[in-house]
Amino acid sequence: MITDRHRRPLGSLRVSVTDRCNLRCRYCMPEEHYTWLPRQSILTFEETTRLVTIFAGLGVTKLRLTGGEPLLRHDLPRAVAMLRTVPGIRDFAMTTNAVLLGRFAGDLKTAGLGRLTVSLDTLRAERFKAFAGRGRHADVIDGIRAAEEAGFTGTKLNAVIVRGVNDDELVDLVAFGRSHSIEVRFIEYMDVGGATQWSFGDVVSRAEMLERLEPALGPIEPVQDGGTQRAPADRFRLDDGTTFGIIASTTAPFCSDCDRSRITADGLWFTCLYAVDGVDLKGPLRTGATDDDIAALIHDRWTARRERGAEERLAVSERGPLYQVEGLRVDPHREMHTRGG
Ligand code: SAM
Ligand code: SF4
């Protein structure tokens, strides 16, 4: 196991398989047009599998596919079938908006995907259309049902809470999760690249969420994990046993415990969501580097890692969006949908 300058292990890897998306969530991709990564730059499944194998050799045990919308990547179940065979990966998950999950849930399960996280911010179809820019709410609900039918268990539901948009649905979302045996995780709105409409006033903090949930749901107890989990969500339990989580990345960042890094679809490796630069892994992959060469590159970068991006953002006094649109156009790698959420 290798650790960084803050003794954080290299544990969890998120692989973005495409920067494209079929939604336009206002906190992630509010623009109608984007500059996409050139097709020839996108890693093949063979290249991705090779990289993941090298990372696993350095200690990565948790793998998550993400995007953009991962289900837009052609033939994704084939990638899943390849990646499931990588030695050392104990937890293999995917984050998806579920628009296409109805079509692919069965194939993903057969191919060996372990778990799913579905992103859904509202239970109201009209609101979804306004929030995500596309009227695909019914497809998402179908996708969630298809995942259950395909036999996925331990599914989680991510909901980004934005003040004045969906903060009146906290209780309804918990109830939805309970009825589908899905654990809901409320995510504080983050000022990541892409969130050009972000303002601190739109963030609903963990403390406020709990204050608003308790009168409707009764006593809320924190779930103690015995310090064994590096998961970013603080988990809570209701009297009836229902659990939910809150990811307070904006008001209470978990940098001190962050073992995550991310590979973009074109092979740039980022060791913090807020990092300015990534390490190019595609270049070495395509110019004859050996696995040992690439492992050495990863080792050197990780052992020098000092980033605590979300904590540094918390210290900024006049906080606004991380980038304006023009800043994002300079380099699409700054976008959340390119880095992978
Ligand atoms: N398209 C897939 C999806 O939406 O699940 C995967 C990629 S998406 C970038 C991954 C996660 O990042 C989603 O759960 C999304 O809600 C979250 N996300 C995107 N922008 C965010 C923001 N500004 N603040 C908090 N979470 C955000
Ligand atoms: Fe697409 Fe996911 Fe970003 Fe929404 S959060 S725009 S679904 S990548």
Side-chain angles (χ1 to χ4, degrees):
M1 181 177 77
I2 58 172
T3 54
D4 70 6
R5 293 296 178 103
H6 298 295
R7 304 170 72 148
R8 299 170 293 189
L10 174 71
S12 161
L13 184 66
R14 300 186 160 217
V15 175
S16 169
V17 290
T18 178
D19 56 331
R20 294 174 190 245
C21 194
N22 43 7
L23 297 183
R24 289 290 179 276
C25 303
R26 58 178 277 167
Y27 51 72
C28 179
M29 300 182 75
E31 316 304 320
E32 205 39 53
H33 299 290
Y34 286 90
T35 307
W36 306 113
L37 300 174
R39 281 193 189 276
Q40 66 281 10
S41 74
I42 304 296
L43 299 186
T44 64
F45 294 157
E46 287 71 17
E47 288 171 330
T48 301
T49 306
R50 185 175 164 209
L51 277 185
V52 171
T53 307
I54 297 170
F55 273 95
L58 289 165
V60 165
T61 57
K62 294 177 72 174
L63 175 66
R64 179 173 293 274
L65 301 182
T66 181
E69 173 45 40
L71 292 177
L72 285 181
R73 179 73 187 259
H74 177 66
D75 219 8
L76 191 71
R78 188 171 76 81
V80 169
M82 291 166 72
L83 290 164
R84 76 176 292 198
T85 65
V86 173
I89 300 297
R90 292 202 294 268
D91 183 21
F92 184 16
M94 180 175 82
T95 305
T96 172
N97 63 28
V99 167
L100 297 172
L101 196 54
R103 201 185 307 164
F104 291 113
D107 290 347
L108 292 167
K109 184 73 185 159
T110 307
L113 186 69
R115 290 187 305 117
L116 285 165
T117 298
V118 170
S119 303
L120 177 63
D121 308 303
T122 174
L123 300 172
R124 305 185 195 173
E126 278 312 305
R127 185 176 277 184
F128 182 97
K129 195 171 174 188
F131 200 45
R134 307 281 187 271
R136 308 294 298 268
H137 190 258
D139 295 326
V140 176
I141 303 297
D142 276 356
I144 292 172
R145 198 173 306 125
E148 280 176 284
E149 282 167 13
F152 279 103
T153 54
T155 302
K156 296 203 167 67
L157 190 145
N158 279 357
V160 179
I161 303 301
V162 181
R163 188 178 306 284
V165 176
N166 63 345
D167 55 337
D168 55 350
E169 289 193 65
L170 292 163
V171 174
D172 293 349
L173 283 162
V174 171
F176 178 84
R178 182 196 286 132
S179 67
H180 289 270
S181 304
I182 292 175
E183 185 168 295
V184 175
R185 289 130 42 107
F186 297 116
I187 307 181
E188 288 182 357
Y189 185 14
M190 296 173 70
D191 57 344
V192 287
T196 49
Q197 299 177 359
W198 188 91
S199 81
F200 208 96
D202 288 346
V203 178
V204 181
S205 70
R206 174 180 56 193
E208 186 179 341
M209 289 187 212
L210 290 171
E211 259 169 39
R212 292 170 71 161
L213 283 165
E214 193 138 25
L217 298 176
I220 297 174
E221 294 296 324
V223 176
Q224 309 294 346
D225 65 19
T228 53
Q229 296 291 320
R230 281 188 174 268
D234 294 320
R235 296 178 66 233
F236 301 91
R237 184 178 289 114
L238 304 177
D239 263 356
D240 70 357
T242 304
T243 54
F244 67 92
I246 300 182
I247 302 181
S249 357
T250 303
T251 65
F254 45 91
C255 299
S256 60
D257 221 18
C258 176
D259 68 346
R260 293 181 178 182
S261 62
R262 297 173 159 79
I263 305 180
T264 63
D266 63 344
L268 264 192
W269 179 47
F270 285 93
T271 54
C272 177
L273 194 49
Y274 289 91
V276 177
D277 299 310
V279 177
D280 173 29
L281 297 177
K282 174 174 88 286
L285 269 180
R286 293 188 177 174
T287 52
T290 65
D291 288 1
D292 284 347
D293 294 336
I294 296 172
L297 202 64
I298 296 166
H299 175 278
D300 289 353
R301 178 67 193 86
W302 191 264
T303 53
R305 177 186 190 240
R306 290 179 187 279
E307 285 110 328
R308 299 175 82 101
E311 285 177 2
E312 281 162 19
R313 290 295 296 162
L314 195 58
V316 174
S317 51
E318 305 258 320
R319 196 166 166 187
L322 186 61
Y323 297 109
Q324 301 293 347
V325 180
E326 308 73 47
L328 291 169
R329 297 222 163 107
V330 170
D331 181 0
H333 294 102
R334 293 176 173 176
E335 298 272 4
M336 175 75 151
H337 70 265
T338 308
R339 281 185 187 199

